[in-house]
Amino acid sequence: MTHQYAMTGFTVREHRVEVPVDWSAPERFGSIEVFARELVDPEQASDDLPLLVFLQGGPGGQGPRPLGDGWIARALERYRVILLDQRGTGRSSPVDGRVIRGFDDAAQAADYLACFRGDAIVEDAEHLRRTVYAGRQWATLGQSYGGFLTLTYLSRHPGALTRCFVTGGLPPATATAEEVYAHTYRRQAARNRELARLHPGDVPVLGRIADLLGERDAVLPNGDPFTPERLQQLGMPLGMSTGIDSVHWLLDTALSADGGLSEGFLAAVADQTGFDGGPLYAVLQEVIYHQGEREPGWAAQAEHDRWPSFASAARPLQLTGEVIFPWMYSQHRALRPFRGAAEELAARTSWPALYDLDRLASNEVPVAAVQYYDDPYVDLDLALATEVGHLDVWITNEHLHDGLRAAGDEILPRLFDLAAGKARVTGR
């Protein structure tokens, strides 16, 4: 089904296709709907433009809702841009607590959620390409987790792709989740040091708030308990361009005149640390790394326990990064229905492969990527460890993980030139 309408700066076509939940056994869970939004410059609407599908970050991320500026404006100069809502998000049969409560038991729910990894997302995109776009080849732009999807796409359907662009998302294709967190914890510790260097006055404020939360029970406006561990979640954006300053300004009015916590601060914490709009981000956070045989358990929690400096009772208080812990399924209202299924997923010891390393090594599709030195989400060393043929990587400290959002109109043209052989790689 297709629907078309106009917005300022672009024309929109909306597409909906039906896909099986489990591509390996279509009858198992039935079907879901996948939604994609196609944008085109109105002045080029009748032109035979090449296609560019955007693979959103995540996991569990819906496609951006466009305003026509930034990287999208640059891309529309030469492409029809397709914004895919990954299965289970946005308008693609979203998965929330109500859906999970409909399963008979946690094991069945876990089986269902295991069908929402990168291999299935790529098959959804392929179905969209074959049905809506009559099998035309397209380019991909993968931001963060979208880069993981890119290498899965190259592993499974390289003939579908003309070229690939990756921003902050070359995956650690040969690393375990445990190895990933061992690297990213070091980078998150560095981001905490940078916060303390730039805003030293924030250090005692964080300690004071944590002490208050340890002394008395506190509740956020949505009813969730406010604990020191949840306070530490404010560190998740430290890998973004404005993340450190955002934390600083949030703490600026955290304490009320009577020494307690301000209502505005409590509301902001509930919003910024919650998963109401995207529970799959939490549930799939470690699952996206699992391949082959593995030891059961929570990888991030195990690494966290190796860092006494990140304990909630430690001072100065350290803010955690892009990590999901078992306690969240008790403290976060949006995650409570997923608790049993998440435990089942953490206990699994065997997972299908996501990448074909031999095919990636012999890849012939041009791939242009930018990776960031100080990114605590996608570790640079692990990102560069996978051999990918015809890959050019621009490594820079000019941007952080959200480079595409913050400076996409500058980054994207350079990646276009890099993939076309018109620019040289510097910094590698």
Side-chain angles (χ1 to χ4, degrees), residues 4-49:
Q4 180 169 313
Y5 55 93
M7 293 189 70
T8 302
F10 49 87
T11 298
V12 181
R13 297 182 72 199
E14 296 182 346
H15 306 289
R16 294 181 294 280
V17 296
E18 190 174 280
V19 300
V21 172
D22 187 342
W23 278 99
S24 66
E27 302 303 320
R28 187 182 185 200
F29 291 115
S31 63
I32 54 175
E33 187 174 86
V34 167
F35 173 84
R37 182 176 282 110
E38 175 190 328
L39 312 182
V40 65
D41 182 334
E43 295 184 2
Q44 302 184 80
S46 60
D47 295 349
D48 186 23
L49 297 172

Side-chain angles (χ1 to χ4, degrees), residues 52 54 69-75 77-79 140-144 164-169 239-241 367-373 375 392-420 422-426:
L52 174 72
F54 180 64
D69 55 358
W71 72 263
I72 289 179
R74 283 300 184 117
E77 293 173 1
R78 61 176 75 185
Y79 287 103
T140 64
L141 171 59
Q143 158 63 16
S144 185
C164 300
F165 311 103
V166 176
T167 56
M240 304 297 187
S241 57
V367 182
V370 58
Q371 293 293 132
Y372 312 115
Y373 276 111
D375 191 340
D392 286 309
V393 185
W394 163 33
I395 304 172
T396 180
N397 61 0
E398 297 174 273
H399 309 289
L400 285 168
H401 191 73
D402 61 341
L404 184 65
R405 179 190 62 78
D409 55 344
E410 301 172 10
I411 288 174
L412 202 55
R414 181 162 182 177
L415 293 183
F416 289 161
D417 288 345
L418 199 59
K422 297 178 181 178
R424 293 176 54 218
V425 173
T426 60

Side-chain angles (χ1 to χ4, degrees), residues 22 34 72 78 80 97 100 112 116 132 143 155 177 180 251-252 257 299 313 316 324 392 418:
D22 187 342
V34 167
I72 289 179
R78 61 176 75 185
R80 291 181 183 270
I100 297 305
Y112 184 81
F116 286 74
V132 174
Q143 158 63 16
S155 295
V180 167
L251 297 175
D252 187 55
I324 300 299
D392 286 309
L418 199 59

Side-chain angles (χ1 to χ4, degrees), residues 34-111:
V34 167
F35 173 84
R37 182 176 282 110
E38 175 190 328
L39 312 182
V40 65
D41 182 334
E43 295 184 2
Q44 302 184 80
S46 60
D47 295 349
D48 186 23
L49 297 172
L51 305 174
L52 174 72
V53 61
F54 180 64
L55 302 175
Q56 170 70 31
Q62 67 179 28
R65 272 42 187 172
L67 297 176
D69 55 358
W71 72 263
I72 289 179
R74 283 300 184 117
L76 288 174
E77 293 173 1
R78 61 176 75 185
Y79 287 103
R80 291 181 183 270
V81 176
I82 297 100
L83 306 175
L84 178 70
D85 279 357
Q86 295 172 20
R87 54 170 46 205
T89 76
R91 291 171 61 184
S92 291
S93 297
V95 174
D96 57 17
R98 289 169 293 186
V99 172
I100 297 305
R101 281 191 288 266
F103 289 97
D104 293 336
D105 54 45
Q108 186 185 45
D111 288 343

Side-chain angles (χ1 to χ4, degrees), residues 315-330:
R315 300 293 180 269
L317 186 76
Q318 301 292 291
L319 302 180
T320 53
E322 193 174 46
V323 285
I324 300 299
F325 302 117
W327 61 261
M328 294 180 178
Y329 291 92
S330 298

